[in-house]
Amino acid sequence: MEAGTLLSGAASVAAVLPAGGSGERLGSATPKQFCALLGRPLISYTVRALERINWISDIVVVVSLENIETMKSIIEKYGHKRITVVEGGMTRHRSIFNGLKIFPESKLSSCPLQKPEVVIIHDAVRPFVEEDILLKVVLAAKEHGAAGAIRPLVSTVVASSADGSLDHSLERARYRASEMPQAFLFDIIYQAYHQCSDYDLDYGTECLHLALKYCKTNAKLIEGSPDLWKVTYKRDLYAAESIIKDNLSQQVCVTTDMKEDAVQFGFLLHETLKSEVKQVKGISVFLCKNDNHLQNIFLGQCYNFICINAEKSDIKETQQLVDILENSRISVLHPVVLISVHLNVSENMSFRSGMEELAGIKEFAREVKKKNILVYGLLIHYNKGQIVLTRRTIDEGRKRR
Amino acid sequence: MEAGTLLSGAASVAAVLPAGGSGERLGSATPKQFCALLGRPLISYTVRALERINWISDIVVVVSLENIETMKSIIEKYGHKRITVVEGGMTRHRSIFNGLKIFPESKLSSCPLQKPEVVIIHDAVRPFVEEDILLKVVLAAKEHGAAGAIRPLVSTVVASSADGSLDHSLERARYRASEMPQAFLFDIIYQAYHQCSDYDLDYGTECLHLALKYCKTNAKLIEGSPDLWKVTYKRDLYAAESIIKDNLSQQVCVTTDMKEDAVQFGFLLHETLKSEVKQVKGISVFLCKNDNHLQNIFLGQCYNFICINAEKSDIKETQQLVDILENSRISVLHPVVLISVHLNVSENMSFRSGMEELAGIKEFAREVKKKNILVYGLLIHYNKGQIVLTRRTIDEGRKRR
């Protein structure tokens, strides 16, 4: 994989997620990192965004004492791995420092954590962080000692005088908003925290500033995407929830076995999806157990599946896909929708008797619903001649565009 | 009214809304100010927010040449009043300047606009501006010559060096984000635009800065609410739509005539709403035509009405409320939901015959649906003894809390 190649050698990477905030700007009793988005706490999305990146070895989540049990139950419920929960301090900087202190100076047999070469610091309330920007800040930190994501300023920044009047405005183009993620050579940021003053720890907020002030390290600034924004106000929770809904419906995966009818039908369905439903990305795979390709689709957050079964009453392929879905544990995070399509190629069979033969899927659907996998059966009377016609129609439609 | 009193004397106020932006940060072909929220363009919400304030005499909307017809059709469709559409310039400052130039130096018989004492400048893409902050910036502008809304910074602001590394971070507490609305003595901002350089007009973005640089006017900075934020990215459209949905369902108005049964039932319903549906603000009014109180409720953006009719088959009160709603024209902006409740106090009548007598409401509902008013009929068998019991239950429930 590209990321693995770029991070060559023994570069080990860990991440620290400060999540001790009280969420006072949100106007809610629940700190924003624990607010539910589609029923799941915001912090679980952020943890998942880091966890699915295999070159991040450990994720340290720093929460206030009263939220340690909440955090542990979130990790348990959503099956998060490689997470260590650490008690936070009174301020953001003290919490991050606590998170860094958990890594031992030298290899200890009693501690499963190992001091990383590079440490990522990311906010618990920025759930949409992508591997791309994480890799960029990590590589830049390896080279420059420190790096952080930035964004253009949305508003002009002004300084006010003592009486609350405008003193001066900053020239917007010269400045940037410092966002997260940031990454540091572990020794640099650790040393900076060790040397910095109580004033810094109590009133500062910016890690890049500490690395500059105490280690003379000028962080590399890297332009990030708008998705890096910090969930701060109630409107941001609304926005985040809408983005998650969008993401969940953006991909559909069509799976088939290798049988001719199923493959042909799957191909036509895929083509139709591609041409008719523009905003949806279709993926087609052949269903072979433990398929790496399918695993990558799960990591790509696909939650919609159409499974083509060549036999009208056989749910073997659907069962196989459900097994793979279960093993991938993605349905722990969100409901998975699976449409089990059954082809009826015999021309004489009535719709009613076809439905009766497919009745077994009802019981199966009831069972797997408990695992958050929603199976719907669909019986299609399949006339090859007609379908080929449809395919031709699609081709003609394309030419006209 | 308070605002009228505070704005005593002949202080005239107009507003300029620059809306010439291309929305490139949104990643959409439609400029963000014309993107639809619940089917209605964003700019119509912002225009409405200003238009419902009666001490703003004129609203000048500045749009690019290619959007003038679009803007005019929005004004027509949503019945906006006191709006003048002006063609924008190549940049934000040039557009605002064009908007200011439309006010004549002296009273002209050919121009319906009159030069205001104070001019508000507000972004077309900040739809949730409230009267409170508008009044504050206008009063401060009268006193100080200029004033603008500010917000705390969400992110640390950094300056980068030529090689893209961190040069320094700003101390977050010392700076603020400059937001909108802003207000100016007309002569000050007009003079500032007249004197400023082409560089300012082409590369500047901040009106407060021009007033300071060219008129030595230190604007008063006024802390605004989070709702003042600027719709910039796609996520902001999601957030805005959710906020609008929230606002639409936050108020319900219970109306009755003066008949005893209706009044008693309305009172009980109001009490129940108050205690059972916490997030909803209930308002009760007696229905008298052209009631000022009711007009204020429309201005307060109430879109849900429950009309209590004392007679089981008479829709007189409902018809009267529909007339008032139609005249207020609020249903042009959003669908209005009106539940027409009919009380059946005779104990012996069957449900079926009650429904038959109420059948006339169906035809009525079909008619007014064309005006975006959705009428639903509800027949309630009303036993006074039972209702009193319910009321007692509510009282007891309260004591337990």
Side-chain angles (χ1 to χ4, degrees):
Chain A
M1 292 189 71
E2 204 197 355
T5 318
L6 287 167
L7 279 170
S8 60
S12 61
V13 180
V16 172
L17 275 184
S22 65
E24 59 198 36
R25 279 185 286 194
L26 200 72
S28 140
T30 308
K32 56 199 166 183
Q33 61 274 26
F34 296 113
C35 285
L37 300 176
L38 303 184
R40 195 173 131 211
L42 172 53
I43 195 167
S44 167
Y45 290 88
T46 315
V47 164
R48 174 69 181 167
L50 297 175
E51 176 191 48
R52 66 197 169 108
I53 296 169
N54 59 14
W55 48 263
I56 298 177
S57 56
D58 296 293
I59 300 161
V60 176
V61 180
V62 191
V63 295
S64 60
L65 180 61
E66 68 266 30
N67 288 316
I68 286 183
E69 284 314 308
T70 306
M71 191 62 223
K72 284 186 173 164
S73 69
I74 290 169
I75 292 167
E76 167 78 20
K77 179 167 181 188
Y78 298 103
H80 296 305
K81 308 284 182 211
R82 316 198 305 275
I83 317 289
T84 305
V85 179
V86 170
E87 186 185 332
M90 288 298 290
T91 63
R92 177 180 159 83
H93 270 332
R94 290 189 187 276
S95 289
I96 296 171
F97 195 14
N98 283 6
L100 295 172
K101 279 188 226 165
I102 206 74
F103 295 100
E105 281 294 328
S106 53
K107 178 101 186 115
L108 296 174
S109 58
S110 64
C111 178
L113 295 177
Q114 213 178 331
K115 192 187 85 169
E117 184 185 353
V118 176
V119 63
I120 293 166
I121 298 177
H122 186 64
D123 279 324
V125 290
R126 300 185 194 250
F128 303 110
V129 61
E130 293 287 346
E131 179 168 6
D132 174 56
I133 184 73
L134 287 164
L135 185 60
K136 280 182 184 159
V137 293
V138 165
L139 291 173
K142 273 196 75 167
E143 192 182 337
H144 302 275
I150 52 166
R151 289 284 307 154
L153 292 175
V154 169
S155 305
T156 298
V157 174
V158 295
S160 68
S161 52
D163 68 344
S165 294
L166 175 68
D167 188 75
H168 63 277
S169 319
L170 300 184
E171 202 184 321
R172 208 200 283 189
R174 281 203 55 219
Y175 293 87
R176 291 286 181 278
S178 172
E179 309 285 342
M180 292 265 153
Q182 297 175 348
F184 302 86
L185 286 175
F186 185 88
D187 292 336
I188 283 187
I189 192 66
Y190 195 66
Q191 191 192 333
Y193 271 108
H194 253 296
Q195 295 181 356
C196 75
S197 66
D198 276 344
Y199 185 87
D200 283 320
L201 287 175
D202 288 337
Y203 298 101
T205 52
E206 175 61 282
C207 306
L208 299 184
H209 173 68
L210 296 186
L212 177 60
K213 187 169 169 190
Y214 293 100
C215 299
K216 309 280 171 283
T217 302
N218 290 76
K220 185 77 182 170
L221 303 178
I222 293 168
E223 196 84 22
S225 77
D227 291 344
L228 290 179
W229 107 102
K230 176 159 65 170
V231 173
T232 308
Y233 300 107
K234 192 165 184 208
R235 66 166 189 265
D236 295 315
L237 287 174
Y238 287 140
E241 194 159 81
S242 296
I243 291 171
I244 293 162
K245 277 186 198 161
D246 253 21
N247 290 346
L248 285 178
S249 56
Q250 238 162 27
Q251 284 192 10
V252 56
C253 174
V254 180
T255 69
T256 64
D257 60 12
M258 305 290 281
K259 284 181 196 128
E260 195 203 330
D261 280 342
V263 170
Q264 189 195 17
F265 188 88
F267 173 78
L268 292 173
L269 179 61
H270 187 147
E271 292 296 294
T272 310
L273 282 171
K274 222 159 68 178
S275 60
E276 305 288 318
V277 197
K278 291 264 161 20
Q279 66 277 33
V280 172
K281 187 178 152 200
I283 313 163
S284 281
V285 290
F286 295 116
L287 204 58
C288 328
K289 221 164 190 169
N290 298 323
D291 187 311
N292 252 340
H293 188 37
L294 209 51
Q295 292 304 325
N296 284 334
I297 287 166
F298 299 148
L299 289 175
Q301 298 183 298
C302 184
Y303 281 86
N304 310 287
F305 294 84
I306 300 174
C307 179
I308 317 289
N309 295 269
E311 302 292 326
K312 65 181 179 299
S313 58
D314 189 348
I315 59 170
K316 199 167 73 258
E317 275 84 27
T318 300
Q319 280 170 319
Q320 191 185 338
L321 179 56
V322 164
D323 285 346
I324 300 175
L325 286 167
E326 259 198 86
N327 287 335
S328 78
R329 299 185 54 78
I330 63 164
S331 67
V332 173
L333 304 175
H334 291 289
V336 175
V337 174
L338 196 172
I339 300 175
S340 181
V341 175
H342 299 265
L343 304 180
N344 177 16
V345 287
S346 72
E347 286 185 29
N348 299 323
M349 185 187 260
S350 75
F351 180 72
R352 189 191 175 86
S353 68
M355 286 303 280
E356 273 164 13
E357 288 191 40
L358 194 52
I361 203 167
K362 276 195 189 173
E363 181 56 34
F364 178 67
R366 207 172 295 129
E367 270 311 302
V368 298
K369 197 182 168 187
K370 295 172 192 160
K371 295 157 190 160
N372 217 15
I373 300 172
L374 312 176
V375 172
Y376 301 86
L378 184 64
L379 179 68
I380 292 183
H381 284 263
Y382 178 51
N383 179 325
K384 287 188 199 186
Q386 269 183 349
I387 298 279
V388 173
L389 181 67
T390 309
R391 185 178 172 182
R392 195 175 303 141
T393 313
I394 291 171
D395 285 343
E396 280 166 5
R398 272 208 196 119
K399 278 179 213 142
R400 275 199 294 275
R401 233 174 291 135
Chain B
M1 292 190 72
E2 204 197 356
T5 318
L6 287 167
L7 280 170
S8 59
S12 61
V13 181
V16 172
L17 275 184
S22 66
E24 58 198 35
R25 279 184 286 194
L26 200 72
S28 140
T30 307
K32 57 198 166 184
Q33 61 273 26
F34 296 114
C35 286
L37 300 176
L38 302 185
R40 195 173 131 211
L42 172 53
I43 194 166
S44 167
Y45 290 87
T46 315
V47 164
R48 174 69 181 165
L50 297 176
E51 176 191 47
R52 67 196 168 108
I53 296 169
N54 59 14
W55 48 263
I56 298 177
S57 56
D58 296 293
I59 300 161
V60 176
V61 180
V62 191
V63 295
S64 61
L65 180 61
E66 68 266 30
N67 288 317
I68 286 183
E69 284 314 309
T70 305
M71 191 62 223
K72 284 186 173 163
S73 69
I74 289 169
I75 292 168
E76 167 78 20
K77 180 167 182 190
Y78 298 103
H80 295 306
K81 307 286 182 210
R82 317 198 305 275
I83 317 289
T84 305
V85 179
V86 169
E87 186 185 332
M90 289 298 289
T91 63
R92 176 180 160 82
H93 270 332
R94 289 188 188 276
S95 288
I96 296 171
F97 196 13
N98 283 6
L100 295 172
K101 279 188 226 164
I102 206 74
F103 295 101
E105 282 293 328
S106 53
K107 178 102 186 114
L108 295 174
S109 58
S110 64
C111 179
L113 294 178
Q114 213 179 330
K115 192 186 86 170
E117 184 185 353
V118 176
V119 63
I120 293 166
I121 299 178
H122 186 63
D123 280 324
V125 291
R126 300 186 194 250
F128 302 110
V129 61
E130 293 288 346
E131 179 169 6
D132 174 56
I133 184 73
L134 287 163
L135 184 60
K136 280 182 184 159
V137 292
V138 165
L139 291 173
K142 273 196 75 167
E143 191 181 338
H144 302 275
I150 51 166
R151 289 285 307 154
L153 292 174
V154 169
S155 304
T156 298
V157 174
V158 295
S160 67
S161 52
D163 68 343
S165 293
L166 175 68
D167 188 74
H168 62 277
S169 319
L170 300 184
E171 203 185 320
R172 207 200 283 188
R174 281 203 55 219
Y175 293 87
R176 291 285 180 279
S178 172
E179 309 285 342
M180 292 265 153
Q182 296 175 349
F184 302 86
L185 286 175
F186 185 88
D187 292 336
I188 284 186
I189 192 67
Y190 194 67
Q191 191 192 332
Y193 271 108
H194 253 296
Q195 295 182 355
C196 76
S197 66
D198 277 344
Y199 185 87
D200 283 320
L201 287 175
D202 288 336
Y203 298 101
T205 52
E206 175 61 282
C207 305
L208 299 184
H209 174 68
L210 296 186
L212 177 61
K213 187 170 168 190
Y214 293 101
C215 299
K216 309 281 172 282
T217 302
N218 290 75
K220 185 75 182 171
L221 303 178
I222 293 168
E223 196 84 22
S225 78
D227 291 343
L228 289 179
W229 106 102
K230 176 159 64 170
V231 173
T232 307
Y233 300 108
K234 193 167 182 206
R235 66 166 189 265
D236 295 315
L237 288 174
Y238 287 140
E241 194 159 81
S242 297
I243 290 172
I244 293 162
K245 277 186 198 162
D246 254 21
N247 289 347
L248 285 178
S249 55
Q250 240 163 26
Q251 284 192 10
V252 56
C253 174
V254 179
T255 69
T256 65
D257 60 12
M258 305 291 281
K259 283 181 197 129
E260 195 203 330
D261 280 342
V263 171
Q264 188 195 18
F265 188 87
F267 174 77
L268 292 172
L269 179 60
H270 188 148
E271 291 296 293
T272 310
L273 282 170
K274 221 158 70 178
S275 60
E276 305 289 316
V277 196
K278 292 264 162 19
Q279 66 277 33
V280 172
K281 187 178 152 200
I283 312 164
S284 281
V285 290
F286 295 116
L287 204 58
C288 328
K289 221 164 191 170
N290 297 323
D291 187 311
N292 251 340
H293 188 37
L294 208 52
Q295 292 303 325
N296 285 334
I297 288 166
F298 299 149
L299 290 174
Q301 298 183 299
C302 184
Y303 281 86
N304 310 287
F305 293 84
I306 300 174
C307 179
I308 317 288
N309 296 269
E311 302 292 326
K312 64 181 179 299
S313 58
D314 189 348
I315 59 170
K316 199 167 73 258
E317 274 83 28
T318 300
Q319 280 169 319
Q320 191 185 338
L321 179 56
V322 164
D323 285 346
I324 299 175
L325 286 167
E326 258 198 86
N327 287 335
S328 78
R329 298 185 55 77
I330 64 164
S331 67
V332 173
L333 304 175
H334 291 289
V336 174
V337 174
L338 196 172
I339 300 175
S340 181
V341 175
H342 299 265
L343 304 180
N344 177 15
V345 287
S346 72
E347 286 186 29
N348 299 323
M349 185 186 260
S350 75
F351 181 71
R352 189 190 176 86
S353 68
M355 286 303 280
E356 273 164 13
E357 288 190 40
L358 194 53
I361 203 167
K362 276 195 189 172
E363 181 56 35
F364 178 68
R366 207 172 295 130
E367 270 311 302
V368 298
K369 197 182 168 187
K370 295 172 192 159
K371 295 157 189 161
N372 217 15
I373 300 172
L374 312 175
V375 172
Y376 301 87
L378 185 64
L379 179 68
I380 292 183
H381 284 263
Y382 178 51
N383 179 325
K384 287 188 199 186
Q386 268 183 349
I387 299 279
V388 173
L389 181 68
T390 309
R391 184 178 172 182
R392 194 175 304 141
T393 313
I394 291 170
D395 286 342
E396 279 166 5
R398 269 205 199 122
K399 278 180 213 142
R400 275 200 294 276
R401 236 175 289 135

